[in-house]
């Protein structure tokens, strides 16, 4: 490709061309596709996570409260289709069930980290597929993590610090003070300062609302200073004046959720949804996901350049690994084949043995049989001989008897003759 | 507080929920404004390629489309030997243009020498190579471990093919080029210098061209198979009935009926470029810039580029996969998950696609 050597210079237009419609074209395409937004709520049981979600999105998400009888920390994820004017949003809310309930909380953060990683992994798998459909892929990566801090009024719990430290490189963390109507206003300011300084001193990177775009820089930087947001959630409505407002009613007064003097709910909604939703999504994709991808690929042994500074392509390394894998596969196949052949040989030998034995047995039996037969024949022969002898004797005896009779007859004749004479 | 944020114009703010009954405003639709803000900040990129024999008015048309000198007219070259290159060259010029706050980096890729030789065999090859090289560059960046936040997009989004206004039919070169390139890039064919055709000649020429495209299985933009829904199809069908657009380009303004208009002045009249009764330049401009620019880029990215990527990633693996695809399913490995996937996916129809793509060049 030859460049004219002018570089890229700005050129004025002599009239209306019409590409100022590009943002509209882009937005229309996105509207057709729909949007995805995934929020993870991390916090101990009873801090009002579900209620806050209901309040934020103005709907009742779950039918019944979650069961809290599982042994470890489980993550429960629900996806909802919301629509406002022409925008369709696929909202996924993930709740940590059982967080902080265990006696030993050392491993509490693990299932959360695993869950976040699993979503990155799923996306990475899709991205690395040969035939892939990225544009219609349902993105489940977590775009925002709302970390619910218990309203103790003192400081962060060590569980909170440990968990947030483990999560800050994987997800955009927005810390909030839950059920903040439990803290008096004077204590709240101190609490917020304590939390912020603890986060800073422990090196926890929470999500900063972006200040590079001039149209939102001012409001974002103001909001950054209000973190963590002290929120109150409620789906119950109370009549104040002549309007129905979301509020929590106490004997001593009513906390109005959307009253900025009472709590920071409106600020949270403004930042999370109305101003920075897109930025949260972009940070997730370009920072957290890229980090995950880089680590994962390096772990698997892929490199961009080798020591000779010749750039490896992922493809080549991929191929090399594949060949290695193939080689191993073939080796295994060979082994299996060998084993199979061996087994066959052995079995064959066994069978041959058995056959031989059988033959021998047969021969033996046959011989036995023949011997018996011979014996019997001999016996029969001797018997026959006896019979013959006997017969002979009998015949001889009969002959003698006949002769004797004849002789006797002739003797009688002789006597008779003698008488006559 | 609320005044500081430019909300998407929706005064009532009442929304319908598919869930629950409250009707207060949440503000989900503010994301449209957030997206618009982001787009304005980032700016856009557009890469257009013009292909056609010399003298068909390619540079002039580009300058007319963008109302500025974005493409250099070759005929003003001082050195006559340089005028017609011996082989097809690829010349790329980029400009930053801005309109109502929307910034765009426009790259016009010229292809001097195309179709100008006596023997034009394989003159599409340098062009194919260039297009594929851009896909390759993008792929290389995409598969890097440390990759840029925004991968610079130099892929050719649209190739405008200039058909000489013979009035008869497509030449073998036209057919050959479009047949091959429609598989890798969006092609928008135009009838160049259409002011030499009468309206009847133009219509019959267009009809012949459309039939020939159909007969040769050439899918030009907007391709039927990528229509997203019925509404899309309706709009695109209308466009498909009009292509190729018969265009006239000009960067000279003349006074017509008291107005200054872009046109070509002849002894028998002035052809107004932006007058749809005279030529179809306005339709081309609307298609390319005002309505379908995003769509053109999407098709390039999600279809042409993906096709290239599939082929590229399969290249070395083609013959091995067919033997071992069954084995792959049987052997789950800890780190084999990555390699297993492609194998499992290879089984379905990729071999066929591989075949179909292999006789491209």
């Amino acid at each position: 490709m030859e460049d004219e050597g002018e570089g890229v210079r700005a050129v004025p237009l002599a009239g209306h061309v019409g590409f100022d419609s590009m943002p509209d074209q882009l937005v229309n395409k996105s509207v057709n596709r729909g949007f995805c937004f995934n929020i993870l709520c991390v916090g101990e049981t009873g801090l009002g996570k579900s209620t806050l979600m209901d309040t934020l999105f103005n709907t009742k998400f779950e039918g019944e409260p979650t069961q809290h009888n599982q042994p470890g920390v489980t993550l429960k994820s629900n996806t909802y289709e919301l629509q406002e004017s022409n925008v369709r949003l696929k909202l996924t809310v993930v709740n940590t069930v059982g967080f902080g309930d265990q006696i030993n909380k050392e491993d509490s953060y693990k299932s959360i980290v695993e869950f976040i990683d699993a979503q990155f992994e799923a996306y990475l798998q899709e991205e690395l597929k040969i035939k892939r459909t990225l544009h219609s892929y349902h993105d489940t990566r977590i775009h925002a993590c709302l970390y619910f801090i218990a309203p103790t009024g003192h400081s962060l719990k060590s569980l909170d610090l440990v968990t947030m430290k483990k999560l800050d490189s994987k997800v955009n963390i927005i810390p909030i003070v839950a059920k903040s109507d439990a803290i008096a206003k004077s204590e709240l300011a101190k609490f917020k300062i304590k939390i912020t300084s603890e986060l800073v001193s422990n090196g926890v990177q929470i999500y900063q609302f972006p200040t590079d775009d001039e149209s939102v820089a001012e409001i974002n930087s103001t909001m950054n200073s209000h973190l963590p947001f002290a929120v109150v959630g409620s789906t119950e409505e109370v009549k104040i004046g002549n309007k129905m407002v979301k509020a929590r009613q106490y004997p001593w007064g009513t906390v109005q959720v959307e009253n900025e003097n009472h709590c920071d709910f409106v600020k949270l909604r403004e930042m999370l949804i109305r101003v920075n939703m897109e930025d949260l999504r972009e940070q997730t994709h370009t920072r957290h996901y890229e980090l995950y991808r880089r680590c994962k690929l390096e772990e698997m042994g892929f490199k961009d350049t080798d020591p000779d500074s010749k750039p490896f392509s992922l493809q080549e390394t991929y191929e090399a690994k594949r060949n290695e894998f193939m080689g191993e596969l073939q080796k295994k196949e060979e082994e299996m084949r060998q084993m199979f052949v061996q087994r066959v040989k052995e079995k064959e030998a066994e069978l041959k043995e058995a056959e031989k034995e059988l033959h021998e047995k047969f021969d033996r039996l046959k011989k036995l049989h023949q011997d018996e037969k011979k014996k019997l024949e001999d016996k029969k022969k001797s018997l026959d001989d006896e019979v013959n002898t006997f017969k002979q004797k009998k015949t001889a005896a009969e002959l003698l008897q006949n002769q004797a009779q004849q002789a006797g007859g002739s003797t009688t004749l002789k006597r008779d003759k003698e008488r006559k004479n | 507080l609320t005044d500081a944020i430019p909300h998407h114009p929706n005064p009532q703010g009442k929304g319908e929920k598919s869930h629950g009954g409250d009707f207060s405003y949440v503000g989900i639709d503010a994301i449209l404004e957030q997206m618009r803000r982001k787009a304005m900040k980032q700016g856009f990129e557009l890469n257009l390629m013009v292909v056609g024999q010399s003298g068909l008015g390619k540079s002039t048309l580009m300058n007319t489309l963008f109302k500025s000198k974005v493409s250099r007219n070759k005929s003003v070259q001082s050195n006559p030997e340089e005028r017609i290159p011996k082989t097809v060259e690829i010349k790329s010029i980029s400009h930053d243009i801005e309109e109502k706050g929307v910034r765009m980096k426009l790259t016009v890729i010229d292809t001097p020498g195309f179709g100008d030789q006596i023997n034009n065999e394989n003159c599409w090859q340098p062009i194919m190579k260039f297009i594929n090289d851009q896909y390759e560059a993008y792929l290389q960046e995409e598969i890097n471990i440390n990759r840029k936040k925004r991968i610079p997009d130099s892929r050719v989004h649209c190739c405008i093919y200039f058909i000489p206004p013979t009035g008869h039919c497509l030449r073998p070169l036209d057919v050959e080029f479009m047949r091959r390139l429609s598989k890798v890039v969006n092609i928008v064919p135009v009838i160049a210098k259409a002011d030499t055709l009468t309206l009847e000649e133009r219509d019959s020429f267009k009809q012949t061209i459309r039939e020939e495209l159909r007969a040769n299985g050439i899918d030009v933009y907007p391709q039927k198979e990528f229509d997203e829904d019925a509404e899309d199809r309706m709009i695109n069908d209308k466009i498909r009935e009009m292509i190729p657009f018969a265009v006239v380009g000009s960067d000279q303004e003349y006074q017509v009926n008291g107005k200054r208009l872009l046109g070509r002045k002849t002894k028998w009249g002035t052809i107004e470029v932006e007058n749809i009764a005279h030529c179809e330049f306005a339709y081309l401009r609307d298609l390319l810039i005002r309505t379908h620019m995003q769509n053109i880029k999407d098709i390039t990215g999600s279809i042409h580029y993906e096709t290239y990527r599939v082929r590229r990633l399969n290249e070395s693996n083609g013959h091995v996969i067919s033997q071992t695809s069954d084995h792959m399913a049987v052997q789950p490995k800890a780190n084999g998950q990555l390699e297993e996937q492609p194998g499992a996916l290879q089984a379905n129809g990729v071999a066929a696609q591989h075949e179909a793509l292999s006789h491209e060049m």
Side-chain angles (χ1 to χ4, degrees):
Chain A
M1 175 175 117
E2 290 174 59
D3 216 309
E4 289 288 78
E6 289 159 284
V8 184
R9 58 184 173 88
V11 163
L13 303 177
H16 183 233
V17 177
F19 62 87
D20 57 338
S21 65
M22 268 307 266
D24 287 322
Q25 294 185 36
L26 186 64
V27 165
N28 282 338
K29 175 188 101 174
S30 302
V31 165
N32 284 334
R33 295 248 168 93
F35 297 90
C36 255
F37 195 59
N38 309 317
I39 304 180
L40 169 67
C41 294
V42 180
E44 291 175 15
T45 312
L47 282 182
K49 304 191 284 289
S50 312
T51 313
L52 187 67
M53 286 296 109
D54 287 351
T55 321
L56 262 177
F57 291 98
N58 253 334
T59 90
K60 273 232 181 304
F61 281 130
E62 270 172 62
E64 17 54 70
T66 14
Q67 305 287 3
H68 287 95
N69 48 13
Q70 301 284 45
V73 178
T74 50
L75 283 96
K76 202 153 147 320
S77 159
N78 288 306
T79 308
Y80 311 95
E81 305 254 354
L82 303 177
Q83 183 161 354
E84 197 164 63
S85 59
N86 60 342
V87 176
R88 288 175 296 116
L89 180 72
K90 221 180 201 133
L91 174 74
T92 302
V93 178
V94 185
N95 250 315
T96 52
V97 178
F99 186 76
D101 286 345
Q102 297 76 30
I103 295 174
N104 183 354
K105 296 178 241 195
E106 273 176 357
D107 296 338
S108 295
Y109 70 87
K110 281 195 185 148
S111 30
I112 304 176
V113 170
E114 273 166 20
F115 181 84
I116 296 176
D117 280 347
Q119 311 316 308
F120 284 145
E121 184 63 32
Y123 189 88
L124 181 64
Q125 288 301 320
E126 180 66 32
E127 195 187 21
L128 287 173
K129 271 192 198 163
I130 294 195
K131 250 187 166 185
R132 57 188 190 179
T133 46
L134 273 180
H135 52 269
S136 55
Y137 176 76
H138 177 208
D139 190 3
T140 55
R141 298 173 296 181
I142 302 293
H143 301 122
C145 171
L146 294 180
Y147 196 92
F148 288 68
I149 300 169
T152 59
H154 299 309
S155 59
L156 282 174
K157 298 189 184 166
S158 46
L159 173 65
D160 294 335
L161 278 170
V162 166
T163 311
M164 278 200 267
K165 192 91 183 87
K166 290 276 180 212
L167 294 180
D168 70 353
S169 59
K170 294 197 172 286
V171 74
N172 301 315
I173 301 183
I174 301 177
I176 59 182
V177 177
K179 294 196 167 175
S180 63
D181 50 347
I183 313 179
K185 211 163 182 179
S186 51
E187 289 175 6
L188 189 58
K190 272 193 281 189
F191 189 31
K192 281 196 188 184
I193 292 173
K194 190 84 202 320
I195 292 175
T196 320
S197 66
E198 280 193 329
L199 290 174
V200 167
S201 57
N202 281 281
V204 175
Q205 306 268 13
I206 57 173
Y207 176 73
Q208 294 295 309
F209 304 119
T211 49
D212 46 357
D213 185 344
E214 27 174 63
S215 46
V216 293
E218 200 185 308
I219 184 171
N220 273 344
S221 61
T222 317
M223 293 297 184
N224 275 327
S225 60
H226 283 286
L227 284 171
F229 293 133
V231 295
V232 173
S234 172
T235 46
E236 312 262 311
E237 294 203 334
V238 171
K239 194 169 176 126
I240 303 279
N242 56 354
K243 279 202 302 176
M244 293 298 283
V245 294
K246 291 196 274 271
R248 285 176 63 77
Q249 203 162 40
Y250 293 104
W252 50 88
T254 309
V255 180
Q256 294 159 40
V257 169
E258 280 167 305
N259 184 332
E260 291 201 60
N261 288 323
H262 290 194
C263 75
D264 295 332
F265 173 82
V266 170
K267 294 190 175 73
L268 174 66
R269 182 179 60 195
E270 200 69 28
M271 289 293 100
L272 183 65
I273 302 176
R274 296 187 190 176
V275 179
N276 298 306
M277 198 193 276
E278 182 58 31
D279 185 69
L280 283 162
R281 281 156 32 113
E282 183 162 344
Q283 292 294 324
T284 305
H285 180 66
T286 56
R287 205 149 54 90
H288 300 297
Y289 169 70
E290 283 299 308
L291 182 64
Y292 175 83
R293 177 179 176 275
R294 196 158 44 232
C295 294
K296 192 72 200 292
L297 291 179
E298 278 173 1
E299 199 180 282
M300 288 168 59
F302 292 108
K303 292 184 292 230
D304 271 342
T305 53
D306 75 344
D308 305 310
S309 69
K310 213 176 45 148
F312 270 135
S313 66
L314 197 73
Q315 175 58 16
E316 280 172 24
T317 323
Y318 202 82
E319 253 178 75
K321 282 229 148 184
R322 168 182 290 281
N323 288 336
E324 194 187 306
F325 184 63
M326 288 308 179
E328 274 187 53
L329 212 69
Q330 277 174 346
K331 203 170 71 183
K332 269 224 169 105
E333 203 185 313
E334 239 343 275
E335 273 175 37
M336 281 181 83
R337 193 176 298 141
Q338 297 277 27
M339 215 164 65
F340 179 71
V341 167
Q342 179 115 349
R343 285 262 185 85
V344 166
K345 277 209 179 107
E346 281 176 18
K347 201 64 193 239
E348 209 175 1
E350 268 179 48
L351 287 173
K352 270 216 169 87
E353 259 311 306
E355 193 181 16
K356 190 157 147 225
E357 246 173 74
L358 228 71
H359 272 292
E360 281 177 9
K361 201 168 186 185
F362 179 69
D363 286 338
R364 254 201 322 261
L365 280 172
K366 192 164 173 195
K367 187 154 189 297
L368 221 72
H369 183 251
Q370 276 179 343
D371 287 346
E372 277 289 320
K373 189 170 176 192
K374 187 148 197 310
K375 242 191 244 172
L376 284 170
E377 277 182 6
D378 287 345
K379 249 204 175 145
K380 183 174 181 206
K381 192 163 190 291
S382 65
L383 212 69
D384 278 342
D385 286 343
E386 267 187 51
V387 166
N388 280 345
T389 321
F390 178 71
K391 273 206 177 128
Q392 276 177 359
K393 276 198 178 157
K394 182 173 174 198
T395 321
E398 282 182 1
L399 196 67
L400 271 174
Q401 202 178 34
N402 276 353
Q403 277 182 352
Q405 262 186 3
Q406 273 199 354
S410 68
T411 327
T412 326
L413 266 168
K414 221 173 180 187
R415 242 185 274 128
D416 281 348
K417 236 175 182 179
E418 275 181 3
R419 252 183 294 128
K420 274 178 176 171
N421 298 339
Chain B
L1 203 75
T2 25
D3 290 343
I5 298 126
H7 273 277
H8 186 63
N10 186 3
Q12 258 67 33
K14 293 227 189 290
E16 319 96 60
K17 297 286 177 301
S18 55
H19 229 53
D22 285 357
F23 283 139
S24 336
Y25 180 56
V26 174
I28 296 173
D29 56 0
I31 194 171
L32 298 181
E33 189 54 44
Q34 297 171 32
M35 283 199 85
R36 194 169 279 123
R37 238 192 309 123
K38 182 173 109 173
M40 300 277 285
K41 197 172 93 164
Q42 278 179 348
F44 297 89
E45 287 171 302
L46 183 68
N47 308 315
L48 289 180
M49 181 185 258
V50 285
V51 180
Q53 281 173 277
S54 50
L56 284 179
K58 304 191 292 290
S59 303
T60 313
L61 187 70
M62 282 294 107
N63 294 343
T64 319
L65 265 175
F66 291 99
K67 300 250 164 74
S68 59
K69 281 243 179 312
V70 289
S71 185
R72 216 195 259 162
N73 199 331
K74 288 297 171 287
S75 61
V76 295
Q77 289 275 10
S78 45
N79 198 338
E81 276 117 52
E82 276 184 48
R83 282 207 9 229
I84 297 192
K86 295 281 187 307
T87 57
V88 179
E89 288 172 357
I90 313 279
K91 289 218 156 89
S92 188
I93 314 180
S94 296
H95 294 287
D96 274 335
I97 50 182
E98 190 247 312
E99 191 170 62
K100 297 211 176 111
V102 179
R103 289 174 300 111
M104 185 156 89
K105 179 168 171 227
L106 172 70
T107 306
V108 177
I109 303 146
D110 202 353
T111 53
F114 178 83
D116 288 336
Q117 320 306 326
I118 294 176
N119 183 354
N120 285 308
E121 257 176 30
N122 300 329
C123 65
W124 50 81
Q125 262 176 13
I127 299 177
M128 281 281 265
K129 180 172 185 308
F130 178 81
I131 293 175
N132 284 331
D133 283 348
Q134 307 318 304
Y135 290 146
E136 182 65 29
Y138 194 90
L139 179 64
Q140 285 304 322
E141 183 60 36
E142 196 191 15
I143 61 180
N144 260 345
I145 297 190
N146 275 308
R147 53 189 189 181
K148 301 201 179 90
K149 227 180 187 183
R150 269 191 90 201
I151 305 177
D153 191 0
S154 62
R155 301 172 294 188
V156 177
H157 298 127
C158 185
C159 171
I160 305 176
Y161 187 76
F162 286 70
I163 300 171
T166 61
H168 297 309
C169 59
L170 289 176
R171 303 164 302 158
L173 174 63
D174 302 332
V175 172
E176 205 47 42
F177 179 87
M178 284 198 274
R179 194 172 60 83
R180 286 159 187 274
L181 259 78
S182 58
K183 296 197 179 82
V184 294
V185 72
N186 295 320
I187 295 200
V188 174
V190 296
I191 300 174
K193 299 202 161 170
D195 49 340
T196 60
L197 297 169
T198 65
L199 289 183
E200 295 83 24
E201 288 167 347
R202 179 206 290 182
D203 283 339
S204 98
F205 189 28
K206 280 211 226 181
Q207 198 147 346
T208 314
I209 292 177
R210 279 198 293 268
E211 271 164 29
E212 278 188 290
L213 290 177
R214 211 171 4 245
N216 283 284
I218 302 173
D219 248 339
V220 296
Y221 183 83
Q223 299 93 334
K224 250 204 168 84
E225 53 179 324
F226 305 138
D227 288 341
E228 287 190 15
D229 51 32
E231 196 187 315
D232 238 23
R233 189 164 305 129
M234 213 171 63
I235 298 173
N236 289 342
D237 275 344
K238 286 210 193 88
I239 297 170
R240 284 187 277 263
E241 276 162 37
M242 287 204 288
I243 51 167
F245 294 121
V247 296
V248 174
S250 168
D251 41 16
Q252 295 270 35
E253 281 190 340
Y254 295 98
Q255 196 87 352
V256 179
N257 296 336
K259 286 195 286 180
R260 294 215 38 100
L261 297 172
L262 284 173
R264 283 173 63 75
K265 192 164 185 178
T266 66
K267 289 227 161 68
W268 47 92
T270 305
I271 304 151
E272 296 158 42
V273 166
E274 281 171 308
N275 186 338
I276 53 175
H278 290 194
C279 77
E280 294 177 325
F281 168 82
Y283 291 130
L284 177 70
R285 177 201 58 204
D286 288 349
L287 177 75
L288 276 186
I289 301 177
R290 296 188 186 176
T291 57
H292 283 67
M293 195 193 276
Q294 185 59 45
N295 183 246
I296 286 173
K297 292 175 65 172
D298 287 342
I299 303 231
T300 306
S302 53
I303 306 212
H304 293 301
Y305 168 70
E306 289 294 317
T307 306
Y308 176 83
R309 182 178 173 274
V310 168
R311 181 173 58 137
R312 188 71 177 77
L313 292 182
N314 272 337
E315 242 157 34
S316 43
N317 311 334
H319 63 287
V320 193
I321 292 304
S322 46
Q323 290 169 348
T324 55
S325 54
D326 325 64
H327 295 288
M328 286 204 131
V330 167
Q331 307 263 5
K333 276 183 87 171
N335 70 337
Q337 204 184 18
L338 183 61
E339 290 100 346
E340 197 178 345
Q341 280 280 31
L345 288 164
Q346 304 283 337
N348 49 11
V350 174
Q353 200 179 23
H354 182 69
E355 255 181 79
L357 293 167
S358 59
H359 60 254
E360 251 182 69
M361 287 186 76

